[in-house]
Amino acid sequence: MTKKLLLIGGGHAHLSLLKKFKQDQFADCEVTLLNPTRTYYYSGMFSGYVEGIYQLDELEIDLQTLCEKAGIQFVEGTALSVDAKQKMVLTEKGDILNFDVLSFDIGTKRKGVSELPDSDQIFHLNRKEQIKELGDEASKRGDVVIVGGGAAGIELSFSIQSWKKKNNDDGTVRLISSSALYGESSDDRCKKTLKAKIIQAGIRLHENERVERIKESKVHMNGESVSYDSLLWMTGSEAPKLYKSSKLPIDKEGYLLVEDTLQVKQYPFIFGSGNGVTIQNHPDLPRNGVMAVRQGGVLWDNLKGFLQSGEGYHFQPQKRYLTILSTGERRAYLRYGSFCTSGKLAWKLKNKIDKKFMATFK
Ligand SMILES: Cc1cc2nc3c(=O)[nH]c(=O)nc-3n(C[C@H](O)[C@H](O)[C@H](O)COP(=O)(O)OP(=O)(O)OC[C@H]3O[C@@H](n4cnc5c(N)ncnc54)[C@H](O)[C@@H]3O)c2cc1C
């Protein structure tokens, strides 16, 4: 009998499945991808778009076309609730999708977005229109405050500062981080190099300062207030509510708990990957794009094994991996384990990797 495989979320791990489905199919299996939008924007090139190096269409992945090419069905919608026992998913449109096997790759939410005032000066990039708007001049003119000292906040600070330099805009760029900058990098020398670059670029850095309130175009921190023309909210991750509300096994922060085969122990027909899951044997894995992409290979093998041969593999995270952050003006900061360097060559490598990645979806 034909089995139904439902993929929820077009995140990095599921994108790699779509590429594999173009070359190989699971026998007697009907596959569906559910994602809230038809277009997915690749975050690796986003800072280059904001700076004016890339056009928006260079970042776009058309999920519907990709699904058609891969011979699978695309459904535009958001999963509201999952019933693991009845094997059913309810979407925000009221559709019910049945499955035999389910796979989640729905990423994370940004911390604190629901408490932000409703204002067209505030960007958190959860909506397509906001991604487009950050390419416009108006969002970058004047004083720009970026909250969040992770990869996204750092890259966007550099790209807006570079845009200002190119466009003779004398407004300030401030980067506010509630913890030490780039918390994911444990190497002190590398962190110092990156911090020095930020300061050298003229970005005003507020490290270890927590935003307490946002009111009347001002960000209030402990004892200091700064005004903004645009505010970019690029804070760390928060678990999506879907897992908890669907009564699926979660860790103490609400992320879906999976084994290192990427399966939910209690429901082996449910798989989870990407930043929205916690792998029980590797609870401290960083939540970033590199980890999400890497899980795609094991996910493919194990979905195939579960549906066909019964074989399964374990996800082994790499201890060291390559990170390249764009630092503006076609330069980048590269880190591999405790090695770090920066400059034009690092950017060329990032540009080559990103363009090659995107070419596989065209
Ligand atoms: C500007 C910027 C720069 C970054 N730079 C880097 C970097 O240099 N290196 C790095 O490693 N990481 C970087 N990141 C982080 C990286 O983008 C994320 O770690 C990565 O996208 C997470 O992948 P994912 O597969 O978990 O999910 P995502 O890529 O977040 O995809 C999840 C998908 O699921 C969909 N979805 C969500 N909820 C539902 C639902 N209920 N039903 C159906 N679909 C749903 C979403 O719409 C989305 O399409 C950056 C992020 C940004 C914004």
Side-chain angles (χ1 to χ4, degrees), residues 9 11-12 35-36 40 43 78-79 105-107 110 152 155 274-275 288-290:
H12 281 54
N35 195 70
Y40 177 87
S43 60
T78 304
D105 181 15
I106 60 171
R110 273 184 210 297
E155 281 201 323
N275 292 179
N288 61 32
V290 180

Side-chain angles (χ1 to χ4, degrees), residues 8-13 34-37 40 43-44 46-47 77-80 105-110 125 151-152 155-156 234 242 273-276 287-290 292 323-325 350:
I8 306 188
H12 281 54
L34 174 72
N35 195 70
T37 51
Y40 177 87
S43 60
F46 191 69
S47 62
T78 304
L80 270 194
D105 181 15
I106 60 171
T108 57
K109 299 275 168 216
R110 273 184 210 297
L125 305 187
E155 281 201 323
L156 287 170
M234 295 288 122
L242 178 62
S273 56
N275 292 179
R287 297 188 195 279
N288 61 32
V290 180
T323 310
I324 313 180
L325 298 182
K350 177 175 166 53

Side-chain angles (χ1 to χ4, degrees), residues 165-193:
K165 202 173 150 191
K166 242 182 277 170
N167 292 278
N168 301 317
D169 183 283
D170 56 7
T172 56
V173 176
R174 283 176 200 276
L175 175 60
I176 303 175
S177 177
S178 63
S179 57
L181 203 65
Y182 207 23
E184 205 178 274
S185 157
S186 54
D187 190 271
D188 265 2
R189 195 178 58 84
C190 285
K191 271 191 189 171
K192 274 189 196 152
T193 312

Side-chain angles (χ1 to χ4, degrees), residues 214-234:
I214 296 168
K215 207 173 170 199
E216 287 154 6
S217 303
K218 273 193 175 160
V219 174
H220 301 271
M221 294 165 278
N222 188 16
E224 197 184 347
S225 304
V226 291
S227 49
Y228 63 81
D229 296 297
S230 295
L231 172 72
L232 273 65
W233 192 258
M234 295 288 122

Side-chain angles (χ1 to χ4, degrees), residues 94-316:
D95 294 333
I96 306 257
L97 304 174
N98 297 300
F99 62 85
D100 296 296
V101 179
L102 179 68
S103 176
F104 286 105
D105 181 15
I106 60 171
T108 57
K109 299 275 168 216
R110 273 184 210 297
K111 265 186 201 148
V113 169
S114 56
E115 287 126 60
L116 290 174
D118 190 15
S119 156
D120 52 15
Q121 288 172 279
I122 301 180
F123 300 84
H124 44 74
L125 305 187
N126 282 357
R127 289 199 308 268
K128 186 177 174 180
E129 309 82 65
Q130 289 210 328
I131 294 173
K132 279 193 181 143
E133 278 171 42
L134 269 189
D136 299 341
E137 193 174 321
S139 61
K140 290 175 282 199
R141 288 256 178 235
D143 294 334
V144 180
V145 172
I146 294 144
V147 180
I154 294 172
E155 281 201 323
L156 287 170
S157 304
F158 276 117
S159 60
I160 295 180
Q161 184 70 335
S162 306
W163 182 90
K164 283 179 179 297
K165 202 173 150 191
K166 242 182 277 170
N167 292 278
N168 301 317
D169 183 283
D170 56 7
T172 56
V173 176
R174 283 176 200 276
L175 175 60
I176 303 175
S177 177
S178 63
S179 57
L181 203 65
Y182 207 23
E184 205 178 274
S185 157
S186 54
D187 190 271
D188 265 2
R189 195 178 58 84
C190 285
K191 271 191 189 171
K192 274 189 196 152
T193 312
L194 187 59
K195 197 167 155 180
K197 293 238 152 284
I198 291 172
I199 294 163
Q200 234 174 43
I203 297 164
R204 310 230 182 131
L205 181 62
H206 299 255
E207 216 178 350
N208 295 309
E209 289 198 48
R210 185 165 288 280
V211 171
E212 286 173 348
R213 206 157 32 100
I214 296 168
K215 207 173 170 199
E216 287 154 6
S217 303
K218 273 193 175 160
V219 174
H220 301 271
M221 294 165 278
N222 188 16
E224 197 184 347
S225 304
V226 291
S227 49
Y228 63 81
D229 296 297
S230 295
L231 172 72
L232 273 65
W233 192 258
M234 295 288 122
T235 50
S237 304
E238 192 174 84
K241 307 257 184 303
L242 178 62
Y243 303 130
K244 189 174 182 198
S245 63
S246 303
K247 299 192 172 57
L248 292 167
I250 50 175
D251 70 2
K252 58 182 187 316
E253 290 175 67
Y255 294 98
L256 183 71
L257 262 185
V258 295
E259 302 293 293
D260 41 18
T261 56
L262 305 179
Q263 282 164 291
V264 174
K265 192 172 184 179
Q266 198 181 333
Y267 304 111
F269 54 88
I270 299 185
F271 291 72
S273 56
N275 292 179
V277 309
T278 292
I279 301 177
Q280 204 135 12
N281 288 339
H282 307 285
D284 300 321
L285 274 192
R287 297 188 195 279
N288 61 32
V290 180
M291 287 298 157
V293 171
R294 294 229 177 275
Q295 288 165 15
V298 173
L299 181 64
W300 169 265
D301 288 338
N302 289 358
L303 282 171
K304 196 171 184 180
F306 187 81
L307 283 155
Q308 293 174 353
S309 61
E311 281 168 19
Y313 299 90
H314 294 247
F315 176 66
Q316 293 290 354

Side-chain angles (χ1 to χ4, degrees), residues 45 48-49 52-60:
M45 288 166 81
Y49 161 69
I53 294 175
Y54 304 122
Q55 298 299 310
L56 192 59
D57 63 357
E58 290 179 86
L59 283 63
E60 285 177 351

